[in-house]
Amino acid sequence: MPTMPGLGETARAIIANGMGILAADETVSTITKRLSAREIESTADSRRAYRELLFSTPGISEYIGGVILQDETIHQDSAAGIPLADLLVGRGIIPGIKVDAGVHPLAGAPGEFVTEGLDGLRERLKEYRELGARFAKWRAVFTLRDGRPSATCIHANAHALARYAALCQEQGLVPIVEPEVLMEGAHALARCEHVTGRVLQAVFTELFAARVTLEGMLLKPNMVTEGHDSARQASVAEVAEATLRVLTRHVPPAVPGIVFLSGGQDAVLATEHLNAINALAGPKPWTLSFSFGRALQDEALDAWRGQRAQVPAAQRAFHHRAWCDSAAALGRYSAAMEGEAGFAPADSTLHTHH
Ligand code: 13P
């Protein structure tokens, strides 16, 4: 099938020159948990202020090519009355939108989940495109425990991802296909690699069956890591090698980009992993970048504390993390960068986007 005009260009633009994606598409309930954990009240306006802080960070469009919004945010305006999606576009950042309706218990598979949201999706995609979205996201999750994920769970989620991706392409949006093997549990690296491979294989089988144009999509997978509760910590090199090996085995080279989720990894470790993957020798037919949520935002949220006076400090923290992650997407990150500013608040000339 020929590539749909525009989709491949958009997919590549989001991740050009070491840029990655800011996942700021936490649902109201998820962002409320993250704000409450820092004793920040969660209201429509505090959520708007927080997202606006991130999106208007000086110089950020050097490192962030796309931002994933959520339904509430794409309908919100900045303090100055500009729709937040337009604010991004004005800064040269491509807006995207989370379109799945979350995970729900999967019938016939106790303890497992399927991501819902296909009903009415075509109409929602049309609306989001009018509001400025040029790409979309749908997240499926897989838990590793006692023989899970089952074949039933893998198949149901892969099928839904493929139907979502086909609908996105029909409506002129680049689908980000996100199958996430969760870090919950005490599993070993090898088991994560095995299951990630099974999941990716099923996803690409379903994408092919649904006639999705691979050139016009992005894949958002987990890195291959040990479970959070594993006694052993894999080295950065082990994570990088296992991750690249599983992608090489299961992701066709026609896919222009792979943007990793951070999945609860420590922010610096996620940066080190991305850098190590890019620094590995051997063929890497796709651009390997980031679509981090927590790993990009945690330090900024800690710095902000919900206080207007803290906005510059929060923006500095966000800018610094994005600078490091972008270097990692190019395989040029070094630990020394953690101690460098990468951003001088008074120095708006150096870091203003042109
Ligand atoms: P994390 O990087 O915090 O895992 O979030 C990425 C994301 O969008 C999960 O769906």
Side-chain angles (χ1 to χ4, degrees), residues 22-26 34 68 98 100 137 139 178 180 220 260-265 291-297:
L22 165 66
D25 60 320
E26 301 85 0
R34 302 212 175 134
I68 317 175
K98 168 190 175 75
D100 67 65
K137 173 191 125 168
R139 171 175 178 257
E178 180 178 8
E180 174 173 7
K220 175 164 174 169
F260 296 102
L261 59 96
S262 60
Q265 297 181 63
S291 176
F292 293 164
R294 283 160 286 180
L296 269 171
Q297 296 183 50

PDB file of all heavy atoms in Angstrom, residues 22-26 34 68 98 100 137 139 178 180 220 260-265 291-297, ligand 1:
ATOM      1  N   LEU A  22       6.628  14.807  24.613  1.00  0.00           N
ATOM      2  CA  LEU A  22       6.203  14.964  26.006  1.00  0.00           C
ATOM      3  C   LEU A  22       4.824  14.328  26.130  1.00  0.00           C
ATOM      4  O   LEU A  22       3.872  14.771  25.481  1.00  0.00           O
ATOM      5  CB  LEU A  22       6.118  16.450  26.389  1.00  0.00           C
ATOM      6  CG  LEU A  22       5.344  16.747  27.690  1.00  0.00           C
ATOM      7  CD1 LEU A  22       6.055  16.170  28.914  1.00  0.00           C
ATOM      8  CD2 LEU A  22       5.113  18.247  27.848  1.00  0.00           C
ATOM      9  N   ALA A  23       4.714  13.275  26.927  1.00  0.00           N
ATOM     10  CA  ALA A  23       3.409  12.678  27.204  1.00  0.00           C
ATOM     11  C   ALA A  23       2.813  13.439  28.387  1.00  0.00           C
ATOM     12  O   ALA A  23       3.238  13.260  29.530  1.00  0.00           O
ATOM     13  CB  ALA A  23       3.551  11.194  27.516  1.00  0.00           C
ATOM     14  N   ALA A  24       1.872  14.330  28.077  1.00  0.00           N
ATOM     15  CA  ALA A  24       1.200  15.126  29.119  1.00  0.00           C
ATOM     16  C   ALA A  24      -0.292  14.810  29.070  1.00  0.00           C
ATOM     17  O   ALA A  24      -1.137  15.677  29.254  1.00  0.00           O
ATOM     18  CB  ALA A  24       1.448  16.612  28.893  1.00  0.00           C
ATOM     19  N   ASP A  25      -0.585  13.535  28.803  1.00  0.00           N
ATOM     20  CA  ASP A  25      -1.978  13.124  28.569  1.00  0.00           C
ATOM     21  C   ASP A  25      -2.552  12.352  29.744  1.00  0.00           C
ATOM     22  O   ASP A  25      -3.479  11.551  29.583  1.00  0.00           O
ATOM     23  CB  ASP A  25      -2.049  12.261  27.304  1.00  0.00           C
ATOM     24  CG  ASP A  25      -1.210  11.002  27.413  1.00  0.00           C
ATOM     25  OD1 ASP A  25      -0.092  11.079  27.971  1.00  0.00           O
ATOM     26  OD2 ASP A  25      -1.646   9.932  26.952  1.00  0.00           O
ATOM     27  N   GLU A  26      -2.027  12.626  30.935  1.00  0.00           N
ATOM     28  CA  GLU A  26      -2.589  11.970  32.114  1.00  0.00           C
ATOM     29  C   GLU A  26      -4.069  12.334  32.210  1.00  0.00           C
ATOM     30  O   GLU A  26      -4.443  13.499  32.035  1.00  0.00           O
ATOM     31  CB  GLU A  26      -1.883  12.446  33.390  1.00  0.00           C
ATOM     32  CG  GLU A  26      -0.377  12.202  33.421  1.00  0.00           C
ATOM     33  CD  GLU A  26       0.430  13.300  32.740  1.00  0.00           C
ATOM     34  OE1 GLU A  26      -0.170  14.261  32.231  1.00  0.00           O
ATOM     35  OE2 GLU A  26       1.665  13.189  32.713  1.00  0.00           O
ATOM     36  N   ARG A  34      -0.971  12.730  40.968  1.00  0.00           N
ATOM     37  CA  ARG A  34       0.406  13.265  40.956  1.00  0.00           C
ATOM     38  C   ARG A  34       0.467  14.636  41.618  1.00  0.00           C
ATOM     39  O   ARG A  34       1.441  14.957  42.295  1.00  0.00           O
ATOM     40  CB  ARG A  34       0.925  13.308  39.522  1.00  0.00           C
ATOM     41  CG  ARG A  34       0.893  11.915  38.913  1.00  0.00           C
ATOM     42  CD  ARG A  34       1.953  11.583  37.902  1.00  0.00           C
ATOM     43  NE  ARG A  34       1.785  10.168  37.562  1.00  0.00           N
ATOM     44  CZ  ARG A  34       1.793   9.678  36.330  1.00  0.00           C
ATOM     45  NH1 ARG A  34       2.019  10.470  35.311  1.00  0.00           N
ATOM     46  NH2 ARG A  34       1.599   8.385  36.131  1.00  0.00           N
ATOM     47  N   ILE A  68       1.541  15.038  23.750  1.00  0.00           N
ATOM     48  CA  ILE A  68       0.266  14.327  23.804  1.00  0.00           C
ATOM     49  C   ILE A  68      -0.617  14.997  24.844  1.00  0.00           C
ATOM     50  O   ILE A  68      -0.233  15.100  26.017  1.00  0.00           O
ATOM     51  CB  ILE A  68       0.419  12.837  24.163  1.00  0.00           C
ATOM     52  CG1 ILE A  68       1.595  12.197  23.409  1.00  0.00           C
ATOM     53  CG2 ILE A  68      -0.892  12.084  23.860  1.00  0.00           C
ATOM     54  CD1 ILE A  68       1.865  10.742  23.815  1.00  0.00           C
ATOM     55  N   LYS A  98      -4.601  11.789  23.354  1.00  0.00           N
ATOM     56  CA  LYS A  98      -4.912  10.434  23.836  1.00  0.00           C
ATOM     57  C   LYS A  98      -6.369  10.156  23.497  1.00  0.00           C
ATOM     58  O   LYS A  98      -7.255  10.935  23.856  1.00  0.00           O
ATOM     59  CB  LYS A  98      -4.715  10.395  25.345  1.00  0.00           C
ATOM     60  CG  LYS A  98      -5.263   9.157  26.035  1.00  0.00           C
ATOM     61  CD  LYS A  98      -5.209   9.381  27.554  1.00  0.00           C
ATOM     62  CE  LYS A  98      -5.850   8.256  28.324  1.00  0.00           C
ATOM     63  NZ  LYS A  98      -5.013   7.056  28.357  1.00  0.00           N
ATOM     64  N   ASP A 100      -7.794   6.716  23.694  1.00  0.00           N
ATOM     65  CA  ASP A 100      -8.381   5.502  24.263  1.00  0.00           C
ATOM     66  C   ASP A 100      -9.211   5.857  25.484  1.00  0.00           C
ATOM     67  O   ASP A 100      -9.065   6.932  26.064  1.00  0.00           O
ATOM     68  CB  ASP A 100      -7.302   4.455  24.580  1.00  0.00           C
ATOM     69  CG  ASP A 100      -6.375   4.881  25.712  1.00  0.00           C
ATOM     70  OD1 ASP A 100      -6.852   5.016  26.850  1.00  0.00           O
ATOM     71  OD2 ASP A 100      -5.163   5.073  25.450  1.00  0.00           O
ATOM     72  N   LYS A 137      -2.863   8.777  20.408  1.00  0.00           N
ATOM     73  CA  LYS A 137      -2.235   7.722  21.207  1.00  0.00           C
ATOM     74  C   LYS A 137      -3.287   6.789  21.790  1.00  0.00           C
ATOM     75  O   LYS A 137      -4.367   7.226  22.201  1.00  0.00           O
ATOM     76  CB  LYS A 137      -1.433   8.334  22.348  1.00  0.00           C
ATOM     77  CG  LYS A 137      -0.884   7.281  23.327  1.00  0.00           C
ATOM     78  CD  LYS A 137      -0.321   7.895  24.579  1.00  0.00           C
ATOM     79  CE  LYS A 137      -1.002   7.279  25.781  1.00  0.00           C
ATOM     80  NZ  LYS A 137      -0.310   7.618  27.043  1.00  0.00           N
ATOM     81  N   ARG A 139      -3.126   3.322  24.458  1.00  0.00           N
ATOM     82  CA  ARG A 139      -2.223   2.522  25.282  1.00  0.00           C
ATOM     83  C   ARG A 139      -2.886   1.226  25.716  1.00  0.00           C
ATOM     84  O   ARG A 139      -3.979   1.239  26.268  1.00  0.00           O
ATOM     85  CB  ARG A 139      -1.827   3.334  26.512  1.00  0.00           C
ATOM     86  CG  ARG A 139      -1.065   2.589  27.588  1.00  0.00           C
ATOM     87  CD  ARG A 139      -0.650   3.593  28.659  1.00  0.00           C
ATOM     88  NE  ARG A 139       0.049   2.989  29.781  1.00  0.00           N
ATOM     89  CZ  ARG A 139      -0.525   2.762  30.963  1.00  0.00           C
ATOM     90  NH1 ARG A 139      -1.798   3.047  31.154  1.00  0.00           N
ATOM     91  NH2 ARG A 139       0.181   2.251  31.954  1.00  0.00           N
ATOM     92  N   GLU A 178       0.797   2.014  21.293  1.00  0.00           N
ATOM     93  CA  GLU A 178       1.501   1.818  22.571  1.00  0.00           C
ATOM     94  C   GLU A 178       1.109   0.518  23.269  1.00  0.00           C
ATOM     95  O   GLU A 178       0.118   0.466  23.996  1.00  0.00           O
ATOM     96  CB  GLU A 178       1.242   3.002  23.521  1.00  0.00           C
ATOM     97  CG  GLU A 178       1.963   2.832  24.867  1.00  0.00           C
ATOM     98  CD  GLU A 178       1.782   4.001  25.832  1.00  0.00           C
ATOM     99  OE1 GLU A 178       0.983   4.909  25.545  1.00  0.00           O
ATOM    100  OE2 GLU A 178       2.450   3.992  26.875  1.00  0.00           O
ATOM    101  N   GLU A 180       2.211  -1.591  26.220  1.00  0.00           N
ATOM    102  CA  GLU A 180       3.125  -1.459  27.370  1.00  0.00           C
ATOM    103  C   GLU A 180       3.144  -2.714  28.223  1.00  0.00           C
ATOM    104  O   GLU A 180       2.142  -3.059  28.857  1.00  0.00           O
ATOM    105  CB  GLU A 180       2.734  -0.255  28.241  1.00  0.00           C
ATOM    106  CG  GLU A 180       3.567  -0.172  29.528  1.00  0.00           C
ATOM    107  CD  GLU A 180       3.344   1.084  30.370  1.00  0.00           C
ATOM    108  OE1 GLU A 180       2.434   1.880  30.041  1.00  0.00           O
ATOM    109  OE2 GLU A 180       4.079   1.251  31.368  1.00  0.00           O
ATOM    110  N   LYS A 220       5.227   3.002  20.370  1.00  0.00           N
ATOM    111  CA  LYS A 220       5.632   3.439  21.723  1.00  0.00           C
ATOM    112  C   LYS A 220       5.689   2.230  22.643  1.00  0.00           C
ATOM    113  O   LYS A 220       4.698   1.867  23.275  1.00  0.00           O
ATOM    114  CB  LYS A 220       4.642   4.482  22.242  1.00  0.00           C
ATOM    115  CG  LYS A 220       4.887   4.930  23.675  1.00  0.00           C
ATOM    116  CD  LYS A 220       4.144   6.204  24.008  1.00  0.00           C
ATOM    117  CE  LYS A 220       4.283   6.544  25.475  1.00  0.00           C
ATOM    118  NZ  LYS A 220       3.811   7.897  25.789  1.00  0.00           N
ATOM    119  N   PHE A 260      10.063   5.495  23.215  1.00  0.00           N
ATOM    120  CA  PHE A 260       9.858   4.705  24.429  1.00  0.00           C
ATOM    121  C   PHE A 260       9.033   5.460  25.469  1.00  0.00           C
ATOM    122  O   PHE A 260       9.155   6.673  25.611  1.00  0.00           O
ATOM    123  CB  PHE A 260      11.206   4.339  25.066  1.00  0.00           C
ATOM    124  CG  PHE A 260      12.044   3.446  24.207  1.00  0.00           C
ATOM    125  CD1 PHE A 260      13.108   3.957  23.473  1.00  0.00           C
ATOM    126  CD2 PHE A 260      11.768   2.090  24.116  1.00  0.00           C
ATOM    127  CE1 PHE A 260      13.888   3.136  22.673  1.00  0.00           C
ATOM    128  CE2 PHE A 260      12.536   1.254  23.312  1.00  0.00           C
ATOM    129  CZ  PHE A 260      13.595   1.779  22.590  1.00  0.00           C
ATOM    130  N   LEU A 261       8.235   4.715  26.217  1.00  0.00           N
ATOM    131  CA  LEU A 261       7.600   5.241  27.418  1.00  0.00           C
ATOM    132  C   LEU A 261       8.601   5.058  28.556  1.00  0.00           C
ATOM    133  O   LEU A 261       9.544   4.262  28.452  1.00  0.00           O
ATOM    134  CB  LEU A 261       6.310   4.478  27.698  1.00  0.00           C
ATOM    135  CG  LEU A 261       6.416   2.957  27.906  1.00  0.00           C
ATOM    136  CD1 LEU A 261       6.499   2.595  29.370  1.00  0.00           C
ATOM    137  CD2 LEU A 261       5.256   2.250  27.252  1.00  0.00           C
ATOM    138  N   SER A 262       8.424   5.792  29.652  1.00  0.00           N
ATOM    139  CA  SER A 262       9.383   5.630  30.750  1.00  0.00           C
ATOM    140  C   SER A 262       8.894   4.625  31.785  1.00  0.00           C
ATOM    141  O   SER A 262       9.712   4.016  32.483  1.00  0.00           O
ATOM    142  CB  SER A 262       9.742   6.970  31.388  1.00  0.00           C
ATOM    143  OG  SER A 262       8.628   7.634  31.931  1.00  0.00           O
ATOM    144  N   GLY A 263       7.588   4.454  31.922  1.00  0.00           N
ATOM    145  CA  GLY A 263       7.034   3.331  32.680  1.00  0.00           C
ATOM    146  C   GLY A 263       7.345   3.265  34.162  1.00  0.00           C
ATOM    147  O   GLY A 263       7.254   2.189  34.751  1.00  0.00           O
ATOM    148  N   GLY A 264       7.748   4.396  34.762  1.00  0.00           N
ATOM    149  CA  GLY A 264       8.056   4.372  36.181  1.00  0.00           C
ATOM    150  C   GLY A 264       9.540   4.225  36.474  1.00  0.00           C
ATOM    151  O   GLY A 264       9.952   4.126  37.626  1.00  0.00           O
ATOM    152  N   GLN A 265      10.364   4.224  35.417  1.00  0.00           N
ATOM    153  CA  GLN A 265      11.811   4.225  35.642  1.00  0.00           C
ATOM    154  C   GLN A 265      12.217   5.568  36.230  1.00  0.00           C
ATOM    155  O   GLN A 265      11.624   6.599  35.930  1.00  0.00           O
ATOM    156  CB  GLN A 265      12.569   4.085  34.311  1.00  0.00           C
ATOM    157  CG  GLN A 265      12.357   2.813  33.556  1.00  0.00           C
ATOM    158  CD  GLN A 265      13.205   2.821  32.270  1.00  0.00           C
ATOM    159  OE1 GLN A 265      14.422   2.854  32.307  1.00  0.00           O
ATOM    160  NE2 GLN A 265      12.532   2.817  31.131  1.00  0.00           N
ATOM    161  N   SER A 291       9.028   9.179  24.457  1.00  0.00           N
ATOM    162  CA  SER A 291       7.693   9.743  24.666  1.00  0.00           C
ATOM    163  C   SER A 291       7.406   9.557  26.147  1.00  0.00           C
ATOM    164  O   SER A 291       6.597   8.737  26.546  1.00  0.00           O
ATOM    165  CB  SER A 291       6.658   9.017  23.802  1.00  0.00           C
ATOM    166  OG  SER A 291       5.357   9.512  24.087  1.00  0.00           O
ATOM    167  N   PHE A 292       8.152  10.315  26.956  1.00  0.00           N
ATOM    168  CA  PHE A 292       8.122  10.122  28.401  1.00  0.00           C
ATOM    169  C   PHE A 292       7.039  10.979  29.051  1.00  0.00           C
ATOM    170  O   PHE A 292       6.797  12.111  28.653  1.00  0.00           O
ATOM    171  CB  PHE A 292       9.462  10.500  29.034  1.00  0.00           C
ATOM    172  CG  PHE A 292      10.629   9.605  28.679  1.00  0.00           C
ATOM    173  CD1 PHE A 292      11.926  10.037  28.921  1.00  0.00           C
ATOM    174  CD2 PHE A 292      10.450   8.337  28.133  1.00  0.00           C
ATOM    175  CE1 PHE A 292      13.031   9.234  28.624  1.00  0.00           C
ATOM    176  CE2 PHE A 292      11.546   7.519  27.826  1.00  0.00           C
ATOM    177  CZ  PHE A 292      12.836   7.975  28.069  1.00  0.00           C
ATOM    178  N   GLY A 293       6.418  10.409  30.071  1.00  0.00           N
ATOM    179  CA  GLY A 293       5.507  11.156  30.919  1.00  0.00           C
ATOM    180  C   GLY A 293       6.224  11.511  32.207  1.00  0.00           C
ATOM    181  O   GLY A 293       6.808  12.583  32.362  1.00  0.00           O
ATOM    182  N   ARG A 294       6.230  10.545  33.131  1.00  0.00           N
ATOM    183  CA  ARG A 294       6.832  10.785  34.437  1.00  0.00           C
ATOM    184  C   ARG A 294       8.301  11.191  34.360  1.00  0.00           C
ATOM    185  O   ARG A 294       8.745  12.096  35.063  1.00  0.00           O
ATOM    186  CB  ARG A 294       6.679   9.541  35.316  1.00  0.00           C
ATOM    187  CG  ARG A 294       5.290   9.386  35.867  1.00  0.00           C
ATOM    188  CD  ARG A 294       5.009   7.967  36.316  1.00  0.00           C
ATOM    189  NE  ARG A 294       4.803   7.061  35.195  1.00  0.00           N
ATOM    190  CZ  ARG A 294       4.538   5.772  35.312  1.00  0.00           C
ATOM    191  NH1 ARG A 294       4.468   5.228  36.514  1.00  0.00           N
ATOM    192  NH2 ARG A 294       4.338   5.028  34.247  1.00  0.00           N
ATOM    193  N   ALA A 295       9.086  10.509  33.505  1.00  0.00           N
ATOM    194  CA  ALA A 295      10.532  10.787  33.468  1.00  0.00           C
ATOM    195  C   ALA A 295      10.830  12.203  32.978  1.00  0.00           C
ATOM    196  O   ALA A 295      11.902  12.739  33.251  1.00  0.00           O
ATOM    197  CB  ALA A 295      11.242   9.755  32.594  1.00  0.00           C
ATOM    198  N   LEU A 296       9.905  12.822  32.251  1.00  0.00           N
ATOM    199  CA  LEU A 296      10.120  14.211  31.829  1.00  0.00           C
ATOM    200  C   LEU A 296       9.543  15.211  32.822  1.00  0.00           C
ATOM    201  O   LEU A 296       9.967  16.358  32.870  1.00  0.00           O
ATOM    202  CB  LEU A 296       9.467  14.457  30.460  1.00  0.00           C
ATOM    203  CG  LEU A 296      10.319  14.238  29.211  1.00  0.00           C
ATOM    204  CD1 LEU A 296       9.445  14.307  27.964  1.00  0.00           C
ATOM    205  CD2 LEU A 296      11.447  15.258  29.107  1.00  0.00           C
ATOM    206  N   GLN A 297       8.531  14.784  33.577  1.00  0.00           N
ATOM    207  CA  GLN A 297       7.790  15.753  34.382  1.00  0.00           C
ATOM    208  C   GLN A 297       8.075  15.737  35.880  1.00  0.00           C
ATOM    209  O   GLN A 297       7.806  16.732  36.559  1.00  0.00           O
ATOM    210  CB  GLN A 297       6.283  15.503  34.224  1.00  0.00           C
ATOM    211  CG  GLN A 297       5.747  15.719  32.827  1.00  0.00           C
ATOM    212  CD  GLN A 297       4.242  15.516  32.818  1.00  0.00           C
ATOM    213  OE1 GLN A 297       3.528  16.079  33.635  1.00  0.00           O
ATOM    214  NE2 GLN A 297       3.760  14.695  31.898  1.00  0.00           N
TER     215      GLN A 297
HETATM  216  P1  13P B   1       5.417   7.281  31.338  1.00  0.00           P
HETATM  217  O1  13P B   1       6.638   7.737  30.570  1.00  0.00           O
HETATM  218  O2  13P B   1       5.239   7.977  32.646  1.00  0.00           O
HETATM  219  O3  13P B   1       5.318   5.798  31.386  1.00  0.00           O
HETATM  220  O4  13P B   1       4.179   7.784  30.514  1.00  0.00           O
HETATM  221  C1  13P B   1       4.176   7.591  29.149  1.00  0.00           C
HETATM  222  C2  13P B   1       2.799   7.346  28.703  1.00  0.00           C
HETATM  223  O5  13P B   1       2.272   8.075  27.901  1.00  0.00           O
HETATM  224  C3  13P B   1       2.113   6.172  29.261  1.00  0.00           C
HETATM  225  O6  13P B   1       0.978   5.926  28.489  1.00  0.00           O
END
